[in-house]
Amino acid sequence: MHVACLAAPFTFTWSGLVVFGGLVWLTGAIGVTLTFHRLLTHRSFSVPAWLEYVLTVIGTLAWQGGAVQWVGTHRLHHKHSDGDEDPHTPRHGFTWAHMLWCMHREAGGPVSARQAAGDLVRDPVHRWIDRLFWLPQVLLAVGLYFAGQWWSGSGWSWVVWGVAARVVFVYHGTWFVNSAAHTWGYRNYETPDGSTNLWWVGLLAFGEGWHNNHHAHQRSAAHGQRWWELDMTYWTIRALGWVGLARDICLPGRRIRRRAVRSSAPVLGAQVALTPDPQGS
Ligand SMILES: [Zn+2]
Ligand SMILES: [Zn+2]
C-alpha cells in the first residue's frame, strides 16, 4: 500500500481527494475506531446484530486484517500494556510500537490474538466476515475504478486515492495511538502503563488520542473527558443512540441508555480468559 502511494501525486484529481476524505472517515472513524475498537473490542455500547455485521464489513476496508486478529491483539495490549507480552509494546522502541510489530505473525506472548477474541470466533457470521476480509476491498477497488471512469474519466485516481492513499493515512492514524499516545502528551490518570493524551492523535484518529483516559476507563464509549478533548467517535455513538441504533452506552462511572440489544454481548476484553495456546500458535 505504501509503494502504491508513490502513484498518488501523478493521479491526483479533486474528485479523487473527495473520495479519499469520505473513505478516511468511513473506514477510519466508523470501521476501525467505532466498530473494531469501541464496539467489538470493548463492548462500550451495543447495536442490533445486523448493524454490527455491516459495521464489521466496513472495518475490513481499513485493511488492518479481520476483526478477530484486530480485536484479539488490542485486548492483549490492554491485558499486558507496555509489558513484554504487549504485541506493540513501546519497550521495543517507537518504530516497533508504531508499525514493525504488525509485520510479525504473533508479536505478543503465548496467548494468540485469536484466543483473546474467542467471542467473535464463536459467532459464525463473524467467522465468515473474518475469513473473507479481503473481499470487500477488492470489490471497492473495482467499483471505484468504474465509478471514477463514469464520473470524470479518473478511475485510477479514485483507486489510488480511495484505496492506497486512504489505507496508508488510516494506518498511521491508528498506529500513532500505539506509538505516540504511549510516548508524548499529558496524563489525566496515573495508570500503570505509559499511555498519554495527545491532541493531534485525537484529531487524526477521531478521538482515539485521549488514550490515557481510555486506559483508565477502558469500557467507556467516551474517550474525551474534558470539554476540549474532542471525541468525534463518541458524538457518532451518541447520534446512533438518538436514532435508537446504539444502546447500553457505557460512560466512566455510570451507564446510560437501556438494556443491551444482545444480551449475549461479552464483557471487557481484559476479562477474556487468557489461557496458553496448546498449539503454540
Ligand atoms: Zn494503549
Ligand atoms: Zn482499547
Side-chain angles (χ1 to χ4, degrees), residues 176-237:
F176 273 127
V177 179
N178 300 332
S179 56
H182 274 264
T183 306
W184 304 307
Y186 65 91
R187 287 160 62 84
N188 287 337
Y189 298 95
E190 282 307 316
T191 54
D193 49 72
S195 60
T196 54
N197 293 329
L198 193 52
W199 67 270
W200 56 267
V201 178
L203 293 178
L204 262 183
F206 305 99
E208 298 285 81
W210 316 117
H211 198 55
N212 174 245
N213 297 348
H214 172 53
H215 271 268
H217 298 282
Q218 294 174 20
R219 201 171 181 187
S220 171
H223 290 194
Q225 292 178 12
R226 298 179 177 180
W227 68 265
W228 44 268
E229 292 173 346
L230 304 181
D231 186 351
M232 294 74 95
T233 302
Y234 179 58
W235 302 343
T236 310
I237 294 169

Side-chain angles (χ1 to χ4, degrees), residues 134-209:
W134 51 272
L135 185 58
Q137 192 80 273
V138 172
L139 296 176
L140 176 69
V142 172
L144 284 175
Y145 176 78
F146 285 109
Q149 286 298 94
W150 170 77
W151 182 261
S152 54
S154 49
W156 281 115
S157 172
W158 284 29
V159 171
V160 169
W161 282 84
V163 177
R166 179 264 306 174
V167 162
V168 167
F169 185 88
V170 174
Y171 272 165
H172 289 280
T174 303
W175 293 343
F176 273 127
V177 179
N178 300 332
S179 56
H182 274 264
T183 306
W184 304 307
Y186 65 91
R187 287 160 62 84
N188 287 337
Y189 298 95
E190 282 307 316
T191 54
D193 49 72
S195 60
T196 54
N197 293 329
L198 193 52
W199 67 270
W200 56 267
V201 178
L203 293 178
L204 262 183
F206 305 99
E208 298 285 81

Side-chain angles (χ1 to χ4, degrees), residues 31-80:
V32 170
T33 301
L34 183 140
T35 305
F36 277 14
H37 190 207
R38 302 194 196 184
L39 176 64
L40 297 181
T41 303
H42 294 292
R43 296 294 179 187
S44 302
F45 61 103
S46 61
V47 296
W50 65 267
L51 181 57
E52 179 174 311
Y53 298 139
V54 169
L55 291 170
T56 304
V57 171
I58 293 171
T60 64
L61 290 172
W63 211 237
Q64 297 186 10
V68 168
Q69 184 72 23
W70 201 105
V71 166
T73 299
H74 190 66
R75 285 177 180 171
L76 293 174
H77 166 64
H78 278 285
K79 181 78 176 172
H80 306 289

Side-chain angles (χ1 to χ4, degrees), residues 46 246-249 255-263:
S46 61
R247 295 184 178 182
D248 208 33
I249 301 171
R255 288 162 72 89
I256 60 173
R257 301 288 165 182
R258 288 157 288 179
R259 291 179 58 239
V261 173
R262 305 179 69 199
S263 57

